[in-house]
Amino acid sequence: MATTIRDVAHRAGVSIATVSRALRDATSVTPETRARVTQAAADLEYVPSQLGRQLAQGRHAANGIVFPDLSGPYYAEVVLGYESVAAQLDRSVLILSTHGRRDADTLVTGLAARCDGLVVLGPTVDDEVVHRLNRRGTPIVLVARTPLVDVDSVNAENNASGTLLGEHLVAAGARTILFVGDPEATADVAERFAAISAAAERDGASVTVEPVSDFSEEAGVHAARQALARRRTTKSLPDAFACANDELALGLMLGLRDAGLRVPEDAIVSGWDDVMAARYAGLTTVRQPMRDLGVHAAQLLDQLINRTRETPVHEVLPTELIVRQSTTPTAGGTTR
Amino acid sequence: MATTIRDVAHRAGVSIATVSRALRDATSVTPETRARVTQAAADLEYVPSQLGRQLAQGRHAANGIVFPDLSGPYYAEVVLGYESVAAQLDRSVLILSTHGRRDADTLVTGLAARCDGLVVLGPTVDDEVVHRLNRRGTPIVLVARTPLVDVDSVNAENNASGTLLGEHLVAAGARTILFVGDPEATADVAERFAAISAAAERDGASVTVEPVSDFSEEAGVHAARQALARRRTTKSLPDAFACANDELALGLMLGLRDAGLRVPEDAIVSGWDDVMAARYAGLTTVRQPMRDLGVHAAQLLDQLINRTRETPVHEVLPTELIVRQSTTPTAGGTTR
DNA sequence: CCGGTTTCTGTAACCGGTTACATCACCGTG
DNA sequence: CACGGTGATGTAACCGGTTACAGAAACCGG
C-alpha cells in the first residue's frame, strides 16, 4: 500500500523511532536529522497511518454522536456545535442516526467501540443501553434527554420559559388552553407542560391536554381536526393551542386555516424550538440554544475522556420566549 | 485496559487464532470449541478492539463526508441519506463541516487519513485538494459540485426544471425577470440561470441579473432593497424574481413585503431547493432529491472502496418544479 | 585527561487483532 | 496396516505506528 514509517526511516538513514519523534516532537531530535527526515517524508509523500497511530496510542481520537434524525434544524444545530468543538480538539466526529431503525441498540454499542466517548441525543436508545455503556467505562454525555444521576447531561431550560409562555398566552386573551403533546412522552415535554399550565392556571385560564405523541406536522394537522370535531359536540373551541414543539404547531395552524379559522384572531397558537419555518409562519415559540447544547456536550465529554473530572455534571442552558403574530391578535393581520 | 483476545483465549484454553476465528467465522471451528470461546467471551464481557481489527485488516470501515454546513435542510438531508446506506454497509460515518474555517484543506486531508473514502459536498474545498487526494488513491465522490472528469459525482438536474420554471414564470405573467444570484459562483447556479433565462427569453420575457454571491436570507433582503432603490431611478420593478436558492427567495419576499409590496400580486418570486420553510412561505421552487443524492453517493463510494468499478461515473438525478402561491397571482391570497 | 552528565539515536517490545502456514489427529481406502 | 487426505487448531508473522530502555557520542568541570 502506501509508504510506511519504515520506508521513510530507510530513506533518511535513521531508525523508525527517530522518524516518529522527528515528525511529532520538535524537541529531542537534532535539527539536521529532523530536516533529513522531513525531507525524506516529503519525497515519499509519506502520510502517517492513523490506524497504526491510534492502536499504539490506544485511542480513537474520535467522538461519536447519536441522534434520531437530522431533518429538523434542532438536532442538526446541536451536531454542528458539537462538531465545531471536536474539530478544535483535533477529534473526528462519528455520527449515527437511529431514526426508524429497530436495531439502534446494536448500532450504538458498535459506535461506542469505535470512539473514545459519545453523546446521546434525544429519543434514540433506552436508558438501559446508556447505563450499560456507562458501566463499561465509555464516557457519555446525554443531551436533550431525561438526565440520569451518574451520567453527564446537558439540557435546555423548560421551566422559566414555560412560565413566561403560559403568562403570555393568558395575557393574549386565552381562557381555555389546549396543550398539544403527550406530557408522559419525555421529561422535557412534561416540564414544558407543567410550567405552562401552572402559570396559565394561576392567571385564571383552564388547561386541557391532547396527548399526541408523534411530534410531526401531520400529527399537528390531525390534532386540529380533532379539536374541530369536538367543537360540534361541545360547541366550543379552545382559544389557545400550546404545542409541544414547532412542527406540531405549524401543522396545527395549517389544520385550523384549512377549516377557515384565522390565527391569531380565532385562536392563538404557540410552539417550542424556534425552527426556521416558525419565523416565516409567524409562530410564537421558545428558542433553545441548540448549538450551545452541542458545544457544552463536547466540552463535558472531553473532560470525561481526559479524566479531568470525576463527578457527573448536569447543565441546564437558558431559553428565550419569542413572541410572534400567532399569539398577538392585536398586532394585526393574519400571519404574513 | 479492557479484556483482550488473549484473555479470552486463555480462559477458553485455546489460542488467540481460534478465538478470532470462532467469533467471526461460523465455519472452520468445532461447535464445541466455538461454544467454549463464546462462553469465555461472554464471561469476560469481551468486546473486540476495533483499533486492532482495523489495523490488521488495513481498513477503517468508515466513510467521511465533508459539507459546508448543516443549518439548512439541504446538506442535512444528503448526510442522512448517506449515513443510512453507510450504516447498512456496516461502515461508520465521519463528518466534517467546513463552514467558516480557513484551514478546511488541512482538515479534509486529515479526515481522508481516517477513513476509506469520502464524499465532498458543495462549496467546501478547492478542486485542487480533491485532485490531490484522488491522485493519492483516496476514493472520492463529489456531490452538488461541478464534476471533475476523473472523479465520481452525483448532482441534481438543473436544466429541465430550470426550463420549466422559466416557462412557468412567463406564463404567470412575468415580462421582466430579475435573476438573483451569481451565475459565476458555481456551475449549478450557472446551469439554473442559463435554463431559466433561455426559456423565459424564448417566451418573450427579458432577464437581468443581480449577482449576489452570498446565498443567505440577509442577502435576499438586501437584494430586495437594491431593486426597490433602483425603482426610483428606472421607475420600474422587475415583475418576477428568480432566486438561486430558497433562502435568498425567502429573504427577498420579506424585503418586498416590508416595503409594502405584495407577493404574488405585485411581483412573483421563485426559489430553488424546496426547504421546509418554503412550504410555509408558499414559495414556488424546485425540489431536489436531497436524500437520494446522499444514497447514490454512498453507493458509488462503496464501489470505489471495494474496487468494483474502474471508470468514473457522473450521475444526475431528476428534480421537480413545485408551484405555490408566490408565483400564482390568480390563485388568490397573499401567502397564507 | 578523566569520570559523569546530558543529548541524541537505535533496538525492540509493545498496542490487539488477522491470517498464512505448520502441525496433528483422525478418517477412509487399497 | 500403511498411506494420502481432510479438517481443526496452534505458532508466529504481520498490520504501522509509539515509546521504554539502552547505548553511544558529545560535552562538562575539575
Side-chain angles (χ1 to χ4, degrees):
Chain A
M1 249 208 336
T3 69
T4 77
I5 197 174
R6 300 172 213 264
D7 302 329
V8 178
H10 184 251
R11 179 173 185 112
V14 297
S15 73
I16 60 169
T18 302
V19 175
S20 177
R21 284 187 283 250
L23 295 181
R24 282 172 304 118
D25 295 346
T27 62
S28 79
V29 146
T30 306
E32 293 86 62
T33 46
R34 190 173 153 68
R36 210 142 36 92
V37 169
T38 313
Q39 183 60 49
D43 291 349
L44 299 173
E45 296 190 337
Y46 170 64
V47 179
S49 156
Q50 293 302 322
L51 290 179
R53 168 187 283 256
Q54 284 162 16
L55 176 58
Q57 295 185 153
R59 49 182 231 127
H60 298 261
N63 294 358
I65 184 166
V66 185
F67 46 81
D69 216 318
L70 235 34
S71 297
Y74 189 100
Y75 298 118
E77 284 291 325
V78 179
V79 170
L80 278 181
Y82 183 66
E83 195 267 348
S84 68
V85 175
Q88 270 174 22
L89 299 170
D90 200 32
R91 316 186 125 265
S92 302
V93 173
L94 287 160
I95 59 169
L96 176 63
S97 164
T98 59
H99 183 76
R101 292 192 189 143
R102 58 238 77 79
D103 55 347
D105 290 10
T106 319
L107 292 171
V108 170
T109 308
L111 178 67
R114 296 166 165 282
C115 51
D116 303 319
L118 50 82
V119 164
V120 177
L121 200 51
T124 42
V125 290
D126 292 342
D127 286 348
E128 195 262 313
V129 178
V130 174
H131 273 129
R132 177 154 44 80
L133 291 174
N134 190 46
R135 264 198 311 274
R136 191 185 291 168
T138 310
I140 301 189
V141 176
L142 302 179
V143 175
R145 272 181 79 104
T146 315
L148 304 175
V149 277
D150 49 356
V151 181
D152 278 10
S153 67
V154 184
N155 280 284
E157 215 291 311
N158 285 311
N159 227 320
S161 291
T163 302
L164 284 177
L165 177 55
E167 292 166 354
H168 167 73
L169 291 177
V170 177
R175 305 295 307 158
T176 56
I177 301 177
L178 181 66
F179 182 84
V180 183
D182 186 1
E184 314 269 302
T186 70
D188 262 348
V189 178
E191 280 181 37
R192 295 173 194 177
F193 169 69
I196 295 172
S197 60
E201 287 171 353
R202 186 177 348 101
D203 289 359
S206 74
V207 180
T208 51
V209 175
E210 177 80 45
V212 177
S213 54
D214 169 27
F215 290 6
S216 68
E217 235 180 286
E218 294 74 38
V221 174
H222 186 249
R225 297 224 181 90
Q226 295 270 327
L228 292 165
R230 262 201 304 276
R231 180 170 56 164
R232 283 192 219 111
T233 55
T234 61
K235 304 289 178 202
S236 76
L237 198 69
D239 43 31
F241 295 85
C243 302
N245 79 346
D246 281 358
E247 271 154 290
L248 272 177
L250 292 168
L252 189 100
M253 285 168 76
L254 285 184
L256 293 178
R257 284 181 184 142
D258 281 350
L261 290 169
R262 292 163 307 157
V263 174
E265 291 83 350
D266 300 323
I268 63 180
V269 176
S270 73
W272 198 291
D273 282 351
D274 195 28
V275 304
M276 184 181 174
R279 246 171 86 204
Y280 290 95
L283 178 65
T284 290
T285 187
V286 174
R287 178 179 301 162
Q288 303 194 40
M290 302 181 284
R291 196 170 288 238
D292 282 348
L293 286 174
V295 168
H296 283 242
Q299 288 162 346
L300 291 187
L301 188 58
D302 196 57
Q303 296 168 1
L304 287 179
I305 292 174
N306 296 324
R307 297 194 156 54
T308 308
R309 173 170 51 78
E310 288 300 320
T311 51
V313 164
H314 302 278
E315 294 197 352
V316 177
L317 305 185
T319 54
E320 184 188 357
L321 177 64
I322 308 287
V323 175
R324 298 205 182 89
Q325 298 98 309
S326 75
T327 59
T328 46
T330 51
T334 306
T335 323
R336 63 170 184 188
Chain B
M1 250 206 337
T3 69
T4 77
I5 197 173
R6 297 167 216 267
D7 302 328
V8 178
H10 184 251
R11 179 172 185 112
V14 297
S15 73
I16 59 169
T18 303
V19 174
S20 178
R21 283 186 283 251
L23 296 181
R24 282 173 304 118
D25 295 345
T27 61
S28 79
V29 146
T30 306
E32 292 86 64
T33 48
R34 191 173 153 66
R36 207 139 38 89
V37 170
T38 313
Q39 183 59 49
D43 291 349
L44 298 172
E45 297 189 338
Y46 170 64
V47 180
S49 154
Q50 294 301 323
L51 291 178
R53 169 187 284 256
Q54 285 163 14
L55 176 58
Q57 295 184 153
R59 51 184 230 124
H60 298 261
N63 295 356
I65 185 165
V66 185
F67 46 82
D69 215 319
L70 280 180
S71 298
Y74 189 99
Y75 298 118
E77 284 290 325
V78 179
V79 170
L80 278 182
Y82 183 66
E83 195 268 347
S84 68
V85 175
Q88 271 173 21
L89 299 170
D90 200 31
R91 314 186 125 267
S92 302
V93 174
L94 287 160
I95 60 170
L96 176 63
S97 164
T98 60
H99 183 77
R101 293 196 188 139
R102 60 239 77 80
D103 55 346
D105 291 11
T106 318
L107 292 172
V108 171
T109 308
L111 178 67
R114 297 165 166 280
C115 53
D116 303 317
L118 51 83
V119 164
V120 177
L121 202 50
T124 41
V125 291
D126 291 342
D127 286 349
E128 196 263 310
V129 178
V130 175
H131 273 129
R132 179 156 43 82
L133 291 175
N134 190 46
R135 263 198 312 275
R136 191 185 292 170
T138 310
I140 301 189
V141 177
L142 302 179
V143 175
R145 273 182 80 103
T146 315
L148 304 175
V149 277
D150 50 356
V151 182
D152 279 11
S153 67
V154 184
N155 279 285
E157 216 290 312
N158 285 312
N159 226 319
S161 292
T163 303
L164 284 177
L165 177 56
E167 292 166 353
H168 167 74
L169 290 176
V170 178
R175 305 293 308 158
T176 56
I177 301 177
L178 181 65
F179 182 84
V180 182
D182 186 2
E184 314 267 303
T186 69
D188 262 349
V189 178
E191 280 181 38
R192 294 172 194 177
F193 169 70
I196 295 172
S197 59
E201 286 170 353
R202 187 176 349 99
D203 289 358
S206 74
V207 180
T208 51
V209 175
E210 176 80 46
V212 177
S213 54
D214 169 27
F215 289 7
S216 67
E217 240 180 283
E218 294 73 39
V221 175
H222 187 248
R225 297 222 182 91
Q226 294 270 327
L228 293 165
R230 264 200 304 275
R231 181 171 55 164
R232 284 193 219 110
T233 55
T234 61
K235 305 288 177 202
S236 77
L237 197 70
D239 44 31
F241 294 85
C243 302
N245 79 347
D246 282 357
E247 271 154 288
L248 272 177
L250 292 169
L252 188 100
M253 286 168 75
L254 284 185
L256 293 179
R257 285 181 184 143
D258 281 349
L261 289 168
R262 291 163 307 157
V263 174
E265 291 83 352
D266 300 323
I268 63 180
V269 176
S270 74
W272 198 292
D273 282 350
D274 195 26
V275 304
M276 184 181 174
R279 249 171 84 205
Y280 290 94
L283 178 65
T284 290
T285 187
V286 174
R287 176 179 302 163
Q288 302 194 41
M290 301 181 283
R291 195 169 288 238
D292 281 348
L293 287 173
V295 168
H296 283 241
Q299 288 162 346
L300 290 186
L301 188 59
D302 195 58
Q303 296 167 3
L304 288 178
I305 293 174
N306 296 323
R307 296 197 154 54
T308 309
R309 173 170 52 78
E310 287 300 320
T311 51
V313 164
H314 302 279
E315 294 197 351
V316 177
L317 306 185
T319 54
E320 184 188 359
L321 177 65
I322 307 287
V323 175
R324 298 206 181 90
Q325 298 97 310
S326 73
T327 59
T328 46
T330 51
T334 307
T335 323
R336 65 169 186 189

